[in-house]
């Protein structure tokens, strides 16, 4: 187990984007949180410091909590490849998908319990009685009882889920139930994700949020966007002197490096190209391959300047995601099967993860320049990759599943694809949207307001304060 450094960002920064009444409430709640949590630490434990939505959200939210005067810390657990294979299986099963099809028997429980016993021993060096520990996702559920025995408030938060249960979700929940049931509270991104045996008094629904000031979401000038995409080798853009500097999470500045080989296929895009973008981990349930097929099927009906970019993290960079290399390879095989003229319009982009701020800046630039952003996931817990382009006023086309439905109101601030397997409708929506820039712009403008309204950190932090107040009522 290791500690990740948490920065400190004044909460006023968020307030600058809010209506005065909302800003006033935020300041009030920050003061309440300081008082309530005085002398205690709020710990977060998850499986990775980089890659994926949980890490993304912790990076942003904890800095604000710290800035508001709450002692918040972040620990990442240690796992063996066997452990992460098993927890990836649990992750897939919770999404209703068999994943690698492996078992969840006594041997798997032993692997899980042993790994978490090792982590629990390390955790005791940090945590004190009376502290609150937020355990994120299946990788950490097995720490609950150990913490509870040490008089620590143990809360489990589940970021994944499926709207309706099936055989697979039941299997995963049977495995996790003995741990989750002992938590003082459990949190889900949607009410539908909680299994029916969770005590309703201890169930909280808290959707994720986005940080508008992070390297991932900060407003960039057109020149900054172009400089980033040129320097990263994603687009053939003329050098116009745009700055190669980017702002890091801690406020310092970094300089973009040139990345040879980031375009795994299709080469850099021409400088005047428009593009459709999906950003995701290389995970089967994100269906990058389906996006490529759907796009390739309508490529002749799309304007010639429209390309597709599928961007994800360099596969070696996400330690708790063993599936990545395989999925990227499958996408590459599909690309090789396309006619040459289509290949030139399809770009697989593997973004280095060794500098997460630089990665975030590149993803930000990609999202800000995209004509349309898609998220054609087959299952999605929430989908920050939907929230992020919405905040950037991009028109988003995404599957009508999971947390995506809480974000996009179809036709108003995005477009929902009823059946994520329906490639024909997917292609048709793309063709129509790209032919109607006014509508695309209208949808994008409304999307930013939707995020401001529902998915900024103030709402998220206030929900946490309510939860903590309830937990500490008895102390
Ligand atoms: N992401 C990233 N770099 C990449 C690919 C993804 O920073 O190369 C980020 C993405 O911008 C988003 C997060 O990873 O913030 C993915 O979160 P989401 O909720 O969409 O899905 P998850 O990966 O948690 O299933």
């Amino acid at each position: 187990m290791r500690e990740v450094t948490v920065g400190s960002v004044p909460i006023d920064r968020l307030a600058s984007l809010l209506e005065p009444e909302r800003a006033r409430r935020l300041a009030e709640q920050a003061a309440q949180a300081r008082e309530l949590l005085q002398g205690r630490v709020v710990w977060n434990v998850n499986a990775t410091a980089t890659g994926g939505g949980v890490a993304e959200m912790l990076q942003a939210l904890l800095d604000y909590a710290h800035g508001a005067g709450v002692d918040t810390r972040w620990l990442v657990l240690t796992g063996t490849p066997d452990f992460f294979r098993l927890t990836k299986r649990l992750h897939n099963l919770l999404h209703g998908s068999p994943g690698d099809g492996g078992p969840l028997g006594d041997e798997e429980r032993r692997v899980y319990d042993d790994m978490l016993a090792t982590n629990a021993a390390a955790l005791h060096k940090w945590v004190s009685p009376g502290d609150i520990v937020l355990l994120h996702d299946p990788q950490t559920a097995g720490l609950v009882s150990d913490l509870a025995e040490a008089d620590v408030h143990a809360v489990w938060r589940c970021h994944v889920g499926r709207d309706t249960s099936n055989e697979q979700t039941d299997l995963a929940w049977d495995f996790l139930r003995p741990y989750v049931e002992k938590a003082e509270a459990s949190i889900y991104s949607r009410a539908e994700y909680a299994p029916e045996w969770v005590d309703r008094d201890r169930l909280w629904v808290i959707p994720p949020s986005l940080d508008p000031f992070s390297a991932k979401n900060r407003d960039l000038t057109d020149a900054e966007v172009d400089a980033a995409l040129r320097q990263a080798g994603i687009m053939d853009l003329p050098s116009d002197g745009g700055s190669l500097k980017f702002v890091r999470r801690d406020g310092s500045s970094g300089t973009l490096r040139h990345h040879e080989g980031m375009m795994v296929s299709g080469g850099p895009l021409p400088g005047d190209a428009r593009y459709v973008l999906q950003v995701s981990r290389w995970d089967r349930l994100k269906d990058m391959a389906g996006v490529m097929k759907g796009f390739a099927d309508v490529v002749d009906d799309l304007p010639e300047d429209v390309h597709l970019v599928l961007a994800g993290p360099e596969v070696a960079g996400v330690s708790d995601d063993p599936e990545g290399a395989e999925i990227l390879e499958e996408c590459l095989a599909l690309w090789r099967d396309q006619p040459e003229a289509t290949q030139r319009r399809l770009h697989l982009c593997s973004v280095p993860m060794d500098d997460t701020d630089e990665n975030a800046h590149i993803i930000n630039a990609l999202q800000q320049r995209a004509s349309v952003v898609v998220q054609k996931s087959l299952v999605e817990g929430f989908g920050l990759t939907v929230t992020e382009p919405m905040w950037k006023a991009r028109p988003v086309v995404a599957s009508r599943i999971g947390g995506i439905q809480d974000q996009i109101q179809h036709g108003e601030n995005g477009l929902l694809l009823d059946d994520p397997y329906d490639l024909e409708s997917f292609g048709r929506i793309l063709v129509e949207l790209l032919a109607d820039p006014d509508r695309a712009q209208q949808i994008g403008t409304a999307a930013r307001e939707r995020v401001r309204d529902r998915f900024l950190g103030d709402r998220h932090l206030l929900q946490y304060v309510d939860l903590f107040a309830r937990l500490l009522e008895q102390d």
Side-chain angles (χ1 to χ4, degrees):
M1 182 138 328
R2 69 184 174 90
E3 183 161 14
V4 181
T5 310
V6 174
S8 180
V9 174
I11 200 100
D12 296 354
R13 194 146 85 157
L14 255 188
S16 67
L17 292 171
L18 309 176
E19 296 281 316
E21 171 55 24
R22 210 167 131 187
R24 192 190 53 72
R25 244 190 101 213
L26 177 62
E28 245 173 52
Q29 296 267 350
Q32 189 195 335
R34 268 193 300 278
E35 196 177 318
L36 185 72
L37 299 167
Q38 207 170 27
R40 301 174 197 270
V41 181
V42 179
W43 298 92
N44 284 268
V45 184
N46 83 321
T48 176
T50 55
V54 180
E56 180 76 20
M57 207 168 51
L58 290 178
Q59 276 159 14
L61 214 55
L62 304 193
D63 287 3
Y64 283 113
H66 221 191
V70 172
D71 193 352
T72 320
R73 313 236 200 123
W74 179 1
L75 300 169
V76 169
L77 55 68
T78 312
T80 56
D82 272 355
F83 174 77
F84 285 133
R85 231 184 331 274
L86 165 61
T87 57
K88 181 76 192 188
R89 190 175 303 154
L90 284 165
H91 175 99
N92 282 323
L93 288 168
L94 284 177
H95 275 149
S97 154
D100 68 359
L104 285 184
D106 292 346
E107 174 56 18
E108 286 69 31
R109 197 171 290 283
R110 194 190 56 73
V111 167
Y112 187 80
D113 288 344
D114 284 357
M115 199 68 248
L116 288 171
T118 307
N119 279 285
L123 189 55
H124 285 300
K125 286 195 219 116
W126 277 288
V127 176
S128 307
D131 284 355
I132 296 172
V133 181
L134 300 168
L135 301 165
H136 296 269
D137 277 339
Q139 298 94 329
T140 64
L143 294 167
V144 169
S145 42
D146 197 83
L147 290 168
E149 279 162 26
D151 287 329
V152 171
H153 296 281
V155 175
W156 185 64
R157 180 162 183 179
C158 184
H159 296 270
V160 292
R162 195 187 134 97
D163 292 334
T164 50
S165 61
N166 68 6
E167 213 176 300
Q168 272 83 29
T169 56
D170 289 349
L171 265 178
W173 283 122
D174 285 349
F175 186 90
L176 292 169
R177 182 172 179 168
Y179 313 110
V180 174
E181 266 184 336
K182 298 200 181 85
E184 250 179 272
S186 53
I187 308 175
Y188 302 85
S189 299
R190 312 193 82 202
E192 288 85 344
Y193 294 170
E196 84 292 340
W197 43 260
V198 171
D199 181 348
R200 301 291 120 167
D201 285 343
R202 291 193 275 160
L203 187 162
W204 293 71
V205 176
I206 306 185
S209 61
L210 152 157
D211 178 18
F213 298 102
S214 66
K216 176 72 57 67
N217 298 311
R218 204 170 62 86
D219 291 338
L220 302 175
T221 61
D222 290 348
E224 281 177 309
V225 168
D226 285 1
L229 298 181
R230 183 183 58 250
Q231 178 72 353
I234 296 174
M235 288 190 94
D236 272 335
L237 286 155
S239 177
D240 65 353
S243 171
L244 293 180
K245 297 275 179 218
F246 61 91
V247 182
R248 293 188 176 282
R249 203 169 331 117
D250 64 6
S252 67
S253 84
T255 305
L256 276 160
R257 298 164 296 171
H258 179 66
H259 293 285
E260 210 59 62
M262 202 158 111
M263 302 310 279
V264 179
S265 78
L269 282 76
D272 56 357
R274 289 185 286 163
Y275 59 87
V276 173
L277 169 74
Q278 176 161 303
V279 172
S280 288
R281 287 179 298 105
W282 303 100
D283 179 312
R284 200 172 299 288
L285 297 173
K286 307 287 184 184
D287 201 22
M288 293 285 226
V291 175
M292 193 191 283
K293 272 194 212 115
F295 184 95
D297 287 349
V298 293
V299 76
D300 293 334
D301 301 329
L302 289 166
E304 270 178 27
D305 64 334
V306 175
H307 292 235
L308 174 71
V309 178
L310 298 174
E314 204 170 55
V315 286
V318 185
S319 56
D320 67 333
D321 201 350
E323 224 175 51
E326 193 184 315
I327 303 294
L328 178 56
E329 193 46 52
E330 282 176 23
C331 289
L332 197 53
L334 183 64
W335 177 82
R336 286 196 197 100
D337 281 349
Q338 306 300 317
E340 212 181 309
T342 309
Q343 283 182 344
R344 280 197 291 274
R345 312 259 300 265
L346 305 174
H347 310 262
L348 289 168
C349 177
S350 161
V351 189
M353 291 292 287
D354 58 337
D355 181 337
T356 49
D357 291 325
E358 185 194 52
N359 176 290
H361 183 76
I362 293 171
I363 297 288
N364 189 359
L366 267 170
Q367 289 172 329
Q368 289 202 30
R369 201 184 204 275
S371 295
V372 174
V373 177
V374 300
Q375 192 59 51
K376 208 190 73 59
S377 304
L378 306 176
V379 187
E380 191 62 76
F382 180 72
L384 276 174
T385 46
V386 170
T387 337
E388 290 160 1
M390 284 178 80
W391 177 249
K392 290 154 198 163
R394 301 293 87 209
V396 180
V397 177
S399 310
R400 191 189 286 276
I401 49 160
I404 294 173
Q405 303 162 87
D406 300 327
Q407 302 187 62
I408 292 181
Q409 295 161 297
H410 180 66
E412 264 179 61
N413 40 41
L415 294 174
L416 292 172
L417 174 67
D418 288 330
D419 173 4
Y421 293 92
D422 178 0
L423 295 187
E424 205 181 313
S425 300
F426 174 64
R428 198 175 47 245
I429 295 174
L430 289 185
V431 171
E432 284 170 9
L433 195 56
L434 282 154
D436 192 349
D438 288 347
R439 179 153 191 249
Q441 194 182 354
Q442 226 169 36
I443 288 177
T445 306
R448 184 168 174 103
E449 288 318 304
R450 175 73 171 168
V451 176
R452 192 195 308 274
D453 198 34
R454 301 259 177 130
F455 301 111
L456 296 186
D458 63 319
R459 185 266 307 150
H460 201 159
L461 291 166
L462 300 193
Q463 285 188 288
Y464 266 139
V465 177
D466 285 348
L467 165 65
F468 298 157
R470 175 89 71 81
L471 292 179
L472 300 179
E473 261 169 14
Q474 266 77 308
D475 276 22

